[in-house]
Amino acid sequence: SYGAVENAIGADQIIFDGDSKAFRPYFPRASSIAQFKSTVPDAIIDVNNMPAVPKFILAANGGQTYSIMEIEGVYYLYVTQFYNVVDDGDLSVGSSSITDLSGCKDIALAKYFATSEAGNAFFYATDNGVYSFSYTSGQTNQRDIYTSEVGEVVTCLYLLPSGGFPTAGSVLWIGVWNETAKEGKLVEYEIDPISGAVTSQKTNMF
């Protein structure tokens, strides 16, 4: 097919094996889960021996896999590539494969995440707010997207998929519930899926 890399991995699914702390491929019509090739010594991420079980695993940025990791109390973003690449023993994405998320406000309290294949930003939500982070932007802190008002709790986060112009990966919906008022609302932002920045003013849909 167009743009396909010869001898690419071609797995139906990539699973994370929590017992061995490893990503593993499942191939079409296979009777068991396979393993990736042994990781080369200079790979930044060893997908066969991750340092912890990810808190969240997300698909983003044209086929990359994001793992939100907590290691000795510090949160990190691990970025790997399993789609349309050859398994040469290094499935990390170069020097930016691991990013310290210590500057991301309340990342340890995140309940919801959203990503898009259209860009490298990810969005996360706590009860009290919604934030974004892009590992290629050079930023060290989160971008603030939404702050809950008194009595509000964020209950849902959804980013439109990357297919379809002009909204591909660029519309973020935030569900909010106000327990005091017994009212909910859906807030919409247009965002830049690469930087994670808001590009238009929020609107309350209903």
Side-chain angles (χ1 to χ4, degrees):
S1 61
Y2 177 77
V5 172
E6 186 176 1
N7 298 319
I9 292 169
D12 268 1
Q13 298 287 336
I14 306 296
I15 66 115
F16 187 82
D17 182 347
D19 291 336
S20 61
K21 296 180 183 176
F23 284 100
R24 299 177 62 184
Y26 175 76
F27 292 99
R29 297 181 296 279
S31 60
S32 61
I33 306 297
Q35 291 183 318
F36 289 113
K37 290 182 179 178
S38 297
T39 304
V40 298
D42 59 348
I44 294 176
I45 297 174
D46 183 353
V47 299
N48 295 303
N49 185 25
M50 298 287 281
V53 175
K55 295 287 187 178
F56 295 89
I57 298 176
L58 310 160
N61 197 27
Q64 292 182 341
T65 297
Y66 289 6
S67 299
I68 307 296
M69 311 282 288
E70 182 187 6
I71 303 169
E72 296 182 352
V74 179
Y75 277 72
Y76 296 89
L77 172 65
Y78 276 52
V79 183
T80 48
Q81 181 91 30
F82 303 116
Y83 172 72
N84 206 28
V85 294
V86 175
D87 182 5
D88 59 0
D90 183 2
L91 296 172
S92 50
V93 297
S95 60
S96 58
S97 296
I98 300 176
T99 302
D100 188 335
L101 299 179
S102 296
C104 289
K105 179 182 178 180
D106 290 340
I107 188 75
L109 302 177
K111 292 184 175 181
Y112 312 104
F113 282 82
T115 53
S116 166
E117 297 283 354
N120 43 41
F122 71 82
F123 299 80
Y124 68 97
T126 67
D127 286 345
N128 299 320
V130 177
Y131 315 94
S132 73
F133 184 85
S134 174
Y135 78 94
T136 61
S137 68
Q139 68 191 95
T140 57
N141 300 92
Q142 83 291 339
R143 292 181 186 270
D144 296 343
I145 304 295
Y146 180 83
T147 301
S148 299
E149 298 175 2
V150 176
E152 285 186 346
V153 174
V154 176
T155 59
C156 183
L157 192 64
Y158 182 77
L159 185 60
L160 283 188
S162 56
F165 180 83
T167 59
S170 299
V171 176
L172 180 69
W173 289 336
I174 303 169
V176 179
W177 175 253
N178 190 312
E179 179 63 24
T180 302
K182 302 296 182 184
E183 292 180 347
K185 65 183 179 183
L186 187 63
V187 183
E188 178 181 294
Y189 289 92
E190 289 187 14
I191 55 88
D192 181 336
I194 297 174
S195 69
V198 173
T199 58
S200 75
Q201 186 176 0
K202 67 180 181 181
T203 57
N204 292 347
M205 297 178 62
F206 58 82

